[in-house]
Amino acid sequence: TMKSAVSNLSDETGRAGGSIRESFIAMTSAGITDMETMQNVFKGASAQAFILGTDVESLANKFSGMAMKSTLSERTLKGTGITMAELGKAMGLQGATIDEIKDKWGELDVNQRAAALGMAASMNEGKDANDEYKNSWQGLQDQIEIAKGKLEVLAGKVFLPVLIPIMQTAGRV
């Protein structure tokens, strides 16, 4: 389910659920419909965002935009921190030329292109970047925000059932 996917990704990447949901919405509007692909794209975007020092939503949106296009821009790919060799390997074209990779890219559908980007972003230095993010200052701040959100939900579940009847009674007095 969406809820468990968001929870699992939050645990794996250290990113807040709101960021994950926003990225999923953007991916869905880009035509990416496969849940596993969306999770892999987010993991890859999260890793590369940490490496590049940018926000994960922007990078996930860039991945979605690239996946929508049947032509592959080397300049746009370079801006994601993914090399052409990594993308080729993710597409099953290890050692292929740039033209071969671009040709194959055009044959893939949006979900396949997104999956290739997610896999490529999680290779090499991207492999450990999500763990590094969780141990960074920004990752710690995100974990505090996640914990505050969970505490607010818990407080709402505990206090609202008590407060509502009290407020209703007070309103009748």
Side-chain angles (χ1 to χ4, degrees), residues 1-2 5 24 33-40 111:
T1 66
M2 174 73 81
F24 278 12
T33 55
D34 182 70
M35 181 59 76
E36 187 176 338
T37 296
M38 288 194 283
Q39 292 177 56
N40 288 334
N111 283 291

Side-chain angles (χ1 to χ4, degrees), residues 107-133:
E107 297 169 10
L108 302 177
D109 69 28
V110 66
N111 283 291
Q112 293 168 323
R113 290 191 290 261
L117 287 167
M119 286 174 58
S122 298
M123 291 179 179
N124 302 329
E125 72 271 5
K127 218 182 292 181
D128 301 319
N130 282 320
D131 287 332
E132 291 171 23
Y133 173 79

Side-chain angles (χ1 to χ4, degrees), residues 40-97:
N40 288 334
V41 167
F42 188 84
K43 280 186 231 174
S46 175
Q48 291 297 2
F50 177 68
I51 292 167
L52 297 172
T54 188
D55 66 289
V56 68
E57 292 89 354
S58 296
L59 207 50
N61 287 340
K62 188 178 277 192
F63 283 8
S64 297
M66 289 177 67
M68 287 173 55
K69 296 179 181 148
S70 60
T71 54
L72 179 61
S73 162
E74 289 179 66
R75 195 174 87 199
T76 306
L77 182 65
K78 192 173 187 174
T80 66
I82 298 172
T83 66
M84 194 61 82
E86 289 168 335
L87 183 60
K89 185 176 179 184
M91 293 168 56
L93 300 173
Q94 190 161 349
T97 67

